[in-house]
Amino acid sequence: MTEEKEKSQERIPANFLEQIVEEDITSGKNGGRVHTRFPPEPNGYLHIGHAKSICLNFGLADKFGGKTNLRFDDTNPVTEDTEYVESIKADVRWLGFDWENELYASDYFDQLYELAVQLIKKGLAYVDDQTSEQIATQKGNPNIPGEESPYRYRSVEENLDLFERMKNGEFEDGAKVLRAKVDMAHPNMHMRDPLMYRIKKAKHHRTGDKWCIYPMYDFAHGQSDSIEKITHSICTLEFDVHRPLYDWFIEKLDTFPSHQYEFARLNLTHTVMSKRRLLQLVKENIVSGWDDPRMPTISGLRRRGFTPASIRNFCDKIGVAKRDNLIDVGVLEFCVREDLNKIATRVMAVLDPVKLVITNYPEGQVETLQVENNPEDINSGHRDVPFSREVYIEREDFMEVPPKKFFRLGPGLMVRLKGAYIVKCEDFVKDEFGNITEIHCTYIPESRSGSDTSGIHVKGTIHWVSAQHAVPAEVRVYDRLLILEDASQVGDDFKKFINPDSLTILDHVLVEPSLKEAVLGKNYQFIRKGYYCLDKDSTGDKLVFNRTVGLKDAWAKEKNK
């Protein structure tokens, strides 16, 4: 490829937002600056949809030498909490990003109040005494123009007086609101004299009891952008109908002309993406908390063993669209498999153990075998694994009457024990119910891995753990949260679509002794089973592992049936 072609390809924008930013920089708009913001509401934990927005906002600024503010939209004291603030900051940092400024809409409450006063003085805002129900009825519908409030033409002086008295706490919640005076016949319902302020006598997590009136999102959002001189205010697609009002406030107040752009939000199959419904799952104890590994929250994904790189790669892979679409959760799982394959330490864990006795192996003898940590990483080294006369293997790796092409253990069949020896099944023992309780094998002493001189070739290799050295553990196997593919179809009855097998607990698992040193945040591949990580519920007496994802997409097979 020529140098010119390489440069030409480098200049191709990855998505329509990058194209907009490039054009703005080229034209010198806003002095060629790029300043984005990520504005979460601190009323819950961030989920995978927010991760897409984080990657987009911070990624655009990083790519074009700009800055990103982390600004908390804390305008509703009833639902907000410092716990959520701290969790959001932790999630953004964990994803690998840092912000230029940590800001809050509440930083601007005084300025926002003064801006509202300006609109009142211009005759563009008024205090309304109607109830929320009356206002909603009065607004009409997209086919019927709204009716003007009987309070719409109050004098400027009366509105200023009432608004100040609202601020001073003279009125009860819901008694009055401040509305913008726009157009009650506007085809866009958001332009029909929208609410700017409401009374909420609740303690705010940052301002305490200083305020009892709080700005509505549409007013606080755009003006906070203007105050911070945000150049590219990026929102999800449902806010495109809010943009005319965003622009109206900026025009009437003559503030910095921030501009809002919209992209399609992330919708993921088998996944609840509504913060309200996620909160319901937590409050009703359907899940163990916001970081339950079945939850699509960033903290839940982290606890389940997803890596920052896998989530960033996922957000990059699905791209930025202008229309809503539904992304298969299998794409997210593919991204984490791809990353973990490169970095996860391979270990042996037997999830459903059955004892295998090597009858010709010396009793009491223990060998130390060296097993590679990760064949994908030549620098990962090896670890010591003890081997003895009695080991445990997976129950599914033995069949009493094996079918053709079953390359594991059965009467007369031979298989290699991973990193150890070739063994041949000579006999087995059953209990009174017909269950296999013990498998008897002989081993080929000359077949030790790394120094095999036996000349025997077998097609199957299975994992194992030494019975004498095995460490008991609990494994939590997580699966899709919903059995229904498209969560937007479920309505408020979404709970009846929760997958009853979204969590399976295996409590008789045996793992190799090296996992006694397992640490939080490290990823492991249980050979032939999947990717796992240590859970925070682990103690010195009890190891608990979460399955991040299987080695293959089991759901793909179900879909193809």
Side-chain angles (χ1 to χ4, degrees):
M1 186 183 289
T2 66
E3 190 175 338
E4 284 115 359
K5 280 187 179 177
E6 285 182 352
K7 287 181 179 176
S8 174
Q9 284 198 355
E10 287 172 7
R11 286 196 298 269
I12 297 173
N15 55 64
F16 75 96
L17 288 171
E18 282 195 9
Q19 184 176 351
I20 288 169
V21 173
E22 280 198 354
E23 289 171 356
D24 288 347
I25 291 173
T26 302
S27 69
K29 185 177 180 180
N30 300 314
R33 288 187 309 114
V34 177
H35 201 153
T36 63
R37 87 287 173 270
F38 175 61
E41 293 179 69
N43 60 359
Y45 281 58
L46 299 184
H47 57 60
I48 186 67
H50 296 110
K52 178 179 176 181
S53 182
I54 291 168
C55 291
L56 183 55
N57 278 287
F58 283 88
L60 279 172
D62 287 347
K63 184 162 188 174
F64 294 100
K67 302 173 181 178
T68 301
N69 289 348
L70 176 62
R71 185 215 306 144
F72 292 93
D73 176 29
D74 56 344
T75 58
N76 187 352
V78 175
T79 60
E80 295 158 2
D81 196 283
T82 52
E83 174 194 349
Y84 299 138
V85 170
E86 294 307 315
S87 75
I88 289 167
K89 291 195 290 186
D91 286 346
V92 174
R93 285 198 177 104
W94 179 75
L95 280 172
F97 300 105
D98 205 355
W99 46 90
E100 178 71 15
N101 302 295
E102 181 182 322
L103 300 166
Y104 298 78
S106 55
D107 293 335
Y108 311 129
F109 281 174
D110 289 290
Q111 289 166 273
L112 293 171
Y113 179 82
E114 291 305 321
L115 290 171
V117 167
Q118 282 185 42
L119 287 176
I120 293 173
K121 288 179 178 179
K122 290 182 176 185
L124 295 174
Y126 62 96
V127 174
D128 196 335
D129 296 0
Q130 295 180 105
T131 65
S132 57
E133 292 77 15
Q134 288 173 318
I135 291 172
T137 302
Q138 175 206 71
K139 277 195 170 187
N141 63 51
N143 300 313
I144 300 174
E147 298 175 10
E148 292 184 349
S149 165
Y151 304 100
R152 197 172 195 264
Y153 294 99
R154 275 175 160 156
S155 68
V156 167
E157 291 72 24
E158 185 180 5
N159 282 318
L160 288 172
D161 175 63
L162 288 171
F163 189 46
E164 184 175 6
R165 290 166 64 191
M166 285 170 62
K167 176 174 75 80
N168 293 338
E170 291 188 27
F171 309 112
E172 294 305 310
D173 288 14
K176 298 181 189 297
V177 294
L178 182 71
R179 297 176 70 179
K181 192 187 292 185
V182 187
D183 180 359
M184 288 303 293
H186 201 287
N188 184 335
M189 297 293 289
H190 294 281
M191 298 295 280
R192 295 186 183 181
D193 289 10
L195 271 60
M196 292 174 57
Y197 271 87
R198 77 287 207 200
I199 302 170
K200 276 187 183 288
K201 292 187 175 178
K203 189 168 185 175
H204 190 278
H205 71 102
R206 293 186 74 242
T207 60
D209 296 319
K210 178 181 177 182
W211 293 90
C212 61
I213 58 170
Y214 293 93
M216 302 298 290
Y217 174 83
D218 278 329
F219 180 59
H221 172 221
Q223 295 317 302
S224 297
D225 284 348
S226 286
I227 290 167
E228 296 172 20
K229 292 185 168 49
I230 298 300
T231 59
H232 299 82
S233 178
I234 299 165
C235 301
T236 45
L237 204 56
E238 66 265 32
F239 289 100
D240 66 339
V241 290
H242 297 249
R243 182 163 19 104
L245 182 57
Y246 182 101
D247 294 339
W248 186 89
F249 280 127
I250 285 174
E251 177 195 343
K252 300 305 179 186
L253 289 165
D254 194 25
T255 52
F256 177 82
S258 293
H259 190 82
Q260 177 179 300
Y261 304 89
E262 302 86 23
F263 70 99
R265 65 181 295 166
L266 172 60
N267 297 302
L268 206 58
T269 59
H270 302 285
T271 308
V272 178
M273 297 290 278
S274 158
K275 198 185 284 187
R276 176 174 61 85
R277 289 175 181 163
L278 293 177
L279 179 61
Q280 187 179 347
L281 290 173
V282 173
K283 284 190 168 179
E284 296 181 15
N285 296 315
I286 296 168
V287 295
S288 62
W290 284 101
D291 68 345
D292 186 300
R294 290 168 291 180
M295 293 278 272
T297 53
I298 296 174
S299 56
L301 292 168
R302 178 164 65 244
R303 184 175 175 186
R304 186 163 166 173
F306 280 72
T307 61
S310 68
I311 294 176
R312 292 196 305 267
N313 291 342
F314 167 72
C315 293
D316 186 53
K317 186 179 287 288
I318 62 175
V320 180
K322 292 185 180 182
R323 293 183 181 178
D324 283 330
N325 53 3
L326 185 64
I327 304 297
D328 193 325
V329 69
V331 180
L332 176 60
E333 293 171 342
F334 169 83
C335 290
V336 75
R337 280 192 197 95
E338 188 177 49
D339 191 40
L340 294 182
N341 183 53
K342 293 180 284 190
I343 65 171
T345 298
R346 274 55 168 172
V347 293
M348 292 191 284
V350 179
L351 306 189
D352 184 16
V354 62
K355 184 176 281 190
L356 183 151
V357 179
I358 305 171
T359 56
N360 63 334
Y361 193 87
E363 287 195 46
Q365 178 172 304
V366 175
E367 284 184 77
T368 300
L369 306 176
Q370 280 209 323
V371 181
E372 60 188 350
N373 287 324
N374 187 341
E376 301 294 323
D377 180 4
I378 58 172
N379 298 314
S380 64
H382 295 74
R383 70 188 182 285
D384 292 338
V385 178
F387 181 78
S388 58
R389 186 173 189 266
E390 295 184 356
V391 300
Y392 284 100
I393 65 169
E394 295 286 356
R395 188 170 296 276
E396 67 180 12
D397 283 340
F398 176 86
M399 291 187 73
E400 185 179 351
V401 184
K404 225 173 172 186
K405 296 187 177 179
F406 182 75
F407 300 123
R408 284 171 275 176
L409 272 180
L413 296 184
M414 301 176 77
V415 74
R416 177 174 291 281
L417 299 178
K418 172 71 177 176
Y421 295 94
I422 294 172
V423 295
K424 179 181 180 182
C425 177
E426 307 288 356
D427 198 4
F428 56 89
V429 180
K430 288 183 176 182
D431 64 16
E432 57 186 306
F433 304 106
N435 300 310
I436 306 293
T437 58
E438 205 167 270
I439 301 162
H440 293 172
C441 292
T442 54
Y443 85 117
I444 313 298
E446 300 80 23
S447 66
R448 177 168 165 159
S449 292
S451 57
D452 187 347
T453 59
S454 68
I456 299 171
H457 299 284
V458 293
K459 290 187 176 180
T461 299
I462 63 174
H463 61 280
W464 53 274
V465 292
S466 166
Q468 181 183 338
H469 306 90
V471 177
E474 175 185 300
V475 166
R476 298 170 183 175
V477 181
Y478 294 98
D479 211 329
R480 310 291 204 264
L481 184 62
L482 298 182
I483 55 174
L484 193 68
E485 188 171 80
D486 188 353
S488 67
Q489 300 175 3
V490 303
D492 289 332
D493 291 334
F494 78 99
K495 289 190 294 181
K496 70 183 181 183
F497 295 101
I498 290 174
N499 179 8
D501 299 319
S502 63
L503 170 60
T504 303
I505 296 177
L506 308 177
D507 51 11
H508 293 96
V509 174
L510 295 171
V511 301
E512 66 173 72
S514 70
L515 283 173
K516 286 191 288 187
E517 307 302 322
V519 294
L520 292 172
K522 184 173 172 59
N523 303 96
Y524 303 90
Q525 184 195 100
F526 288 3
I527 293 172
R528 300 172 63 228
K529 287 300 177 183
Y531 295 99
Y532 296 77
C533 67
L534 191 71
D535 187 76
K536 67 178 185 178
D537 289 344
S538 288
T539 65
D541 299 324
K542 182 182 181 182
L543 293 176
V544 179
F545 290 92
N546 297 326
R547 187 180 77 166
T548 307
V549 68
L551 290 179
K552 295 180 180 178
D553 184 358
W555 279 75
K557 292 180 183 177
E558 292 298 319
K559 277 187 182 170
N560 294 330
K561 281 184 180 177

